[in-house]
Amino acid sequence: ESEIEKDLGLKLIKRRSKHFYFQVVFTEAEMKELIKTAEGSRAAFLETFELDDEQCNEPIDGLYLKTKEEHIRFIDSAPGMDEAKRRSYRDTGGFMTYSPRFTEAFQGGGDFHYMKDVVCHDVVHQCFSMWAGVDANAWLDEGLCYWFTDRMLKSAETHSIESSRTGGGAGKSW
């Protein structure tokens, strides 16, 4: 049982691939799809920018939940987060850190394709951060994520609700 499972009171399916460690509340088959989407998104990012494997090689952990209630329980149990950030993240569709590399999101009212969209979007955020080493403006950071999601899945459903970390328009839906 992982620490996250203990904190959330959930039984999670766990899978490690070469570059990712995911914990999810989805089925084994859906987990395979999420890992496949993550590895494919990473590979597409490397190919597009003609990068070698070492330029985007930090492991990325992911937690993918189904409900907003599960998301809020995660935010409320996340270690080292101050109360102001907890209040802010409770109202978003997920949480991401770059050191360590971690992403969390929930399905909410969307279908499973939405979760694949989120995984692709978040992997591109993480890969761009590893490669560029900068906190880019929202138009570039989000634009790349949308472009890759459209390229990989023919969708771009993930909404960037708050881009305050980049100064790119907090509170606006991109």
Side-chain angles (χ1 to χ4, degrees):
E1 184 177 51
S2 71
E3 288 299 314
I4 291 174
E5 286 176 305
K6 289 176 193 172
D7 291 342
L8 298 180
L10 294 172
K11 177 68 177 146
L12 301 170
I13 294 176
K14 298 173 260 324
R15 176 163 297 210
R16 186 176 304 281
S17 69
K18 185 173 180 184
H19 305 101
F20 301 92
Y21 175 66
F22 284 178
Q23 298 182 73
V24 304
V25 294
F26 298 96
T27 68
E28 186 67 41
E30 289 168 327
M31 165 66 97
K32 288 178 186 177
E33 282 294 310
L34 294 178
I35 289 285
K36 181 178 164 185
T37 298
E39 289 289 357
S41 300
R42 181 187 174 279
F45 186 89
L46 293 175
E47 177 186 307
T48 299
F49 293 106
E50 299 178 354
L51 305 174
D52 64 45
D53 195 57
E54 295 304 309
Q55 290 176 285
C56 185
N57 66 349
E58 294 177 45
I60 300 169
D61 291 355
L63 172 65
Y64 297 100
L65 306 168
K66 285 195 176 181
T67 68
K68 182 166 186 162
E69 292 76 23
E70 292 166 345
H71 163 74
I72 290 170
R73 282 201 324 258
F74 167 73
I75 294 300
D76 287 347
S77 68
M81 189 182 299
D82 65 45
E83 189 53 37
K85 285 186 179 178
R86 284 187 203 284
R87 280 192 306 273
S88 175
Y89 281 119
R90 281 182 195 117
D91 293 329
T92 65
F95 172 75
M96 184 178 297
T97 62
Y98 294 100
S99 181
R101 298 208 176 267
F102 175 81
T103 182
E104 176 266 341
F106 69 96
Q107 182 173 329
D111 60 13
F112 183 71
H113 184 81
Y114 171 75
M115 290 310 301
K116 290 172 58 174
D117 189 286
V118 169
V119 166
C120 178
H121 187 101
D122 288 354
V123 165
V124 173
H125 275 306
Q126 294 285 358
C127 288
F128 182 73
S129 170
M130 279 183 239
W131 173 52
V134 298
D135 196 8
N137 287 325
W139 68 265
L140 177 58
D141 198 12
E142 293 302 326
L144 280 173
C145 294
Y146 286 125
W147 185 82
F148 275 98
T149 305
D150 185 60
R151 179 178 176 215
M152 298 291 298
L153 302 172
K154 304 296 181 225
S155 65
E157 301 175 24
T158 305
H159 296 283
S160 174
I161 301 300
E162 186 173 351
S163 300
S164 60
R165 68 182 184 84
T166 63
K172 294 183 180 177
S173 180
W174 296 95

